[in-house]
Amino acid sequence: MALPLSMSVCFYDRTAALFDGRAPIEGCDVRAVPLEPEESFHRAFKFQEFDVTEVSMSSYLVTTSRGDAHYVAIPAFVSRLFRHSSIYIRTDRGIKSPADLKGKVIGLPEYQMTANVWVRGMLQDEYGVKPSDIKWRRGGLEEGGREERAKITLPPDVELTQVPDDRTLSQMLAAGEIDGVLSARAPSCFLQGAPNVGRLFSNYPEAEEAYYRKTKLFPIMHAIGIRKSLVEANPWLPVSIYKAYLKAKALCMHEMGQIGHLATTLPWPVYEYERAQKIMGEDYWPYGAHANRHALDTLARYSFEQGLSVRRVSVDEMFAKSTYELTKI
């Protein structure tokens, strides 16, 4: 009898086959719900609603470091993104380079958000700007009252203040009440062309390509978590789910490379696909712990250095053990 599973994951091109049946999870009867990542994270870390769920890598490391994680992850990294594009600033505050962020008041939706962990780590490693150099303000980007999804305790030299519940970061940026925002999503004031609001890196693709060539880091944002109690009762489950995610990604990449008919609604997607391979390698979006050791270890270091994880989580303990060594034929 098939094991019933509820699953929450965003409908990406690389997860589409999990929804349409081309990448089934062997031995399982899956009820898949396509949700935005923020909703999956909130419902997973607050209420553990789904058996299988997209998880924030940052929040997963935080809870794993404390020993109170309700999910065990598999190394299917359904979201990755360079984050130079995520730094929005007031253009009338003399902020011309990352070093100019020192002493500024910067908003963020959650301090532990994976995107912001990567940005703070990049700012310190590449530009010498420490988290303690900035005054942080936390709140909802477009809706007031947002808080951390998992409990955090920060170092005493880091200033983090909650903004009033009747204010949003986008409003405050547009009004000049803060100097900038770190956010995975673009603030509505930026999208609407508010005066004196822009990106720190206006030509972010160029900056991100240079960052990759220097560091070989393609930041990992999200993985897939499985309820721990299910894994304990069904040790075969992590590999079965991981294999399905691998198949879904393989189908996506095959479609991306088809020049005869385009899988995405862009004029030159095959050109961009081939360009990414030339810069970053044929499998430029790898799954698996071993293939991503450098990025995972860097994220774990950032999480610990920034006071989020209570200890530095090793790559060898991050995922279900069986996913580190798949069958070879």
Side-chain angles (χ1 to χ4, degrees), residues 80-86 204 208-209 211-212 215-219 221 280:
R80 309 181 74 130
L81 206 71
F82 294 105
R83 284 304 182 186
H84 293 66
S85 63
S86 300
Y204 63 86
E208 291 169 350
E209 181 178 330
Y211 170 80
Y212 177 78
T215 67
K216 301 304 179 187
L217 289 169
F218 184 16
M221 299 295 144
M280 302 172 67

Side-chain angles (χ1 to χ4, degrees), residues 21-32:
R22 291 177 296 150
I25 299 175
E26 58 193 13
C28 299
D29 178 15
V30 181
R31 291 160 289 175

Side-chain angles (χ1 to χ4, degrees), residues 68 116 161 169 195 209 224 255 276 279:
D68 59 7
N116 294 335
T161 304
L169 297 180
E209 181 178 330
I224 297 299
E255 293 165 356
I279 295 170

Side-chain angles (χ1 to χ4, degrees), residues 101-295:
L101 294 173
K102 291 183 178 181
K104 296 297 191 291
V105 178
I106 304 297
L108 34 64
E110 290 187 46
Y111 196 85
Q112 72 185 280
M113 181 185 290
T114 312
N116 294 335
V117 175
W118 277 108
V119 171
R120 289 191 299 267
M122 175 189 72
L123 288 175
Q124 179 158 339
D125 280 0
E126 302 299 314
Y127 303 102
V129 180
K130 302 188 299 293
S132 58
D133 291 332
I134 294 172
K135 300 173 183 177
W136 303 101
R137 299 293 181 266
R138 179 182 57 212
L141 187 66
E142 306 295 343
E143 296 181 81
R146 181 169 175 175
E147 298 180 348
E148 303 288 336
R149 70 179 65 97
K151 182 181 178 182
I152 60 172
T153 302
L154 298 180
D157 62 347
V158 173
E159 178 184 321
L160 176 65
T161 304
Q162 186 78 12
V163 305
D165 286 354
D166 62 350
R167 303 290 289 158
T168 71
L169 297 180
S170 183
Q171 291 171 344
M172 296 175 72
L173 183 62
E177 298 171 30
I178 54 179
D179 302 311
V181 165
L182 300 190
S183 174
R185 292 180 182 268
S188 59
C189 65
F190 171 81
L191 296 174
Q192 294 162 5
N196 301 312
V197 173
R199 279 192 171 102
L200 175 59
F201 294 95
S202 56
N203 188 356
Y204 63 86
E206 182 179 274
E208 291 169 350
E209 181 178 330
Y211 170 80
Y212 177 78
R213 290 184 185 277
K214 178 183 178 182
T215 67
K216 301 304 179 187
L217 289 169
F218 184 16
I220 290 169
M221 299 295 144
H222 310 160
I224 297 299
I226 310 169
R227 195 187 303 278
K228 274 189 171 181
S229 58
L230 275 174
V231 174
E232 290 167 0
N234 305 276
W236 52 270
L237 192 56
V239 169
S240 290
I241 294 173
Y242 184 36
K243 285 167 58 181
Y245 273 83
L246 286 168
K247 182 175 181 179
K249 192 197 85 165
L251 289 167
C252 165
M253 293 305 185
H254 173 75
E255 293 165 356
M256 289 266 288
Q258 296 303 301
I259 194 68
H261 57 280
L262 301 179
T264 56
T265 314
L266 290 168
W268 300 289
V270 178
Y271 170 81
E272 291 294 341
Y273 174 62
E274 293 173 346
R275 182 173 179 273
Q277 288 181 314
K278 289 176 183 176
I279 295 170
M280 302 172 67
E282 184 175 354
D283 185 11
Y284 61 85
W285 196 301
Y287 287 1
H290 300 307
N292 290 280
R293 185 171 291 273
H294 177 40

